[in-house]
């Protein structure tokens, strides 16, 4: 597959370290804000984190998207209240949702990788978001299975089933937002 250009690269400008740092910080801040929009369900809350990660994964490219989520985990580990419900520290990184937290890095990277390899327009963006979200649910469910007394079916019912439809809607919304941003950029550049 040919390599294609993520939105942020298409936006142009100097690819400086300062620009990359600003993108990583603003992206991780977006995920932190989205984590606070949550419906407290036990053991896995419903949040907007994946929508924020989709916007990052679909626009940043694989490496910068992955780095943004590594920074997000680092901010939480350092004590900033960036995880769902304002949680912070090392406990969430070992708790029932740790599979999702570490999986966020893989989700962002895989999404950027798919965009760079051609899933960069319209339905392709939607497909990239969905495929990468499917990757996220593997560690999310398996971690819950390993870390709690739930069997595999119980872990799936708690960590995946309630969220699948919502993730499809989030992928559609993210793809529409990024498509709109591309269209706006195209008309601005003439
Ligand atoms: O503790 C955290 O901050 C992580 C919460 C993970 C929630 C997961 S992400 C995928 C799925 N979709 C949701 O809305 N909630 C779960």
């Amino acid at each position: 597959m040919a390599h294609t250009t993520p939105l942020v690269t298409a936006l142009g400008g100097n690819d400086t370290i300062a620009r990359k740092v600003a993108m990583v910080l603003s992206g991780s801040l977006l995920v932190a804000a989205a984590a606070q929009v949550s419906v407290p369900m036990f053991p896995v809350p419903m949040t907007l984190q994946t929508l924020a990660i989709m916007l990052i994964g679909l626009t940043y490219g694989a490496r910068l998207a992955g780095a943004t989520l590594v920074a997000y985990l680092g901010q939480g580990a350092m004590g900033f209240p960036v995880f769902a419900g304002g949680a912070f520290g090392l406990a969430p990184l070992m708790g029932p949702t740790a599979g999702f937290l570490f999986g966020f890095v893989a989700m962002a990277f895989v999404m950027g990788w798919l965009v760079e390899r051609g899933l960069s327009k319209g339905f392709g963006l939607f497909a990239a978001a969905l495929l990468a979200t499917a990757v996220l649910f593997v560690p999310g469910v398996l971690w819950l299975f390993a870390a709690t007394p739930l069997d595999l079916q119980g872990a799936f019912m708690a960590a995946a089933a309630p969220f699948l439809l919502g993730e499809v809607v989030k992928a559609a919304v993210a793809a529409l937002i990024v498509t709109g941003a591309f269209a706006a950029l195209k008309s601005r550049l003439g």
Side-chain angles (χ1 to χ4, degrees):
M1 262 190 280
H3 283 232
T4 49
T5 313
L7 181 63
V8 286
T9 314
L11 276 171
N14 289 335
D15 206 13
T16 59
I17 292 283
R19 184 179 189 234
K20 288 179 181 169
V21 169
M23 285 169 63
V24 166
L25 287 180
S26 55
S28 53
L29 202 65
L30 180 68
V31 182
Q36 311 319 313
V37 185
S38 76
V39 179
M41 291 159 56
F42 186 80
V44 181
M46 191 172 282
T47 77
L48 287 186
Q49 280 152 305
T50 47
L51 176 61
I53 295 165
M54 286 170 192
L55 294 174
I56 292 163
L58 294 179
T59 56
Y60 274 26
R63 285 165 48 141
L64 210 51
T68 299
L69 271 297
V70 171
Y72 172 67
L73 298 189
Q75 289 156 6
M78 284 189 291
F80 294 99
V82 297
F83 299 137
F88 58 86
L90 295 180
L93 293 169
M94 293 179 282
T97 62
F100 284 110
L101 289 172
F102 289 107
F104 286 161
V105 180
M107 175 186 175
F109 183 89
V110 167
M111 213 179 311
W113 189 88
L114 290 169
V115 170
E116 286 167 355
R117 272 150 193 83
L119 296 183
S120 55
K121 299 266 149 48
F123 187 80
L125 292 166
F126 176 63
L130 273 191
L131 286 169
T133 306
V135 170
L136 169 69
F137 277 93
V138 175
V141 170
L142 289 182
W143 183 286
L144 195 66
F145 168 63
T148 69
L150 290 170
D151 62 14
L152 197 52
Q153 190 185 354
F156 180 86
M157 294 313 288
F163 306 112
L164 295 180
L165 186 60
E167 298 306 327
V168 175
V169 173
K170 288 176 199 168
V173 169
L176 284 172
I177 291 173
V178 174
T179 301
F182 256 120
L185 176 68
K186 220 171 149 185
S187 73
R188 208 184 72 178
L189 296 179

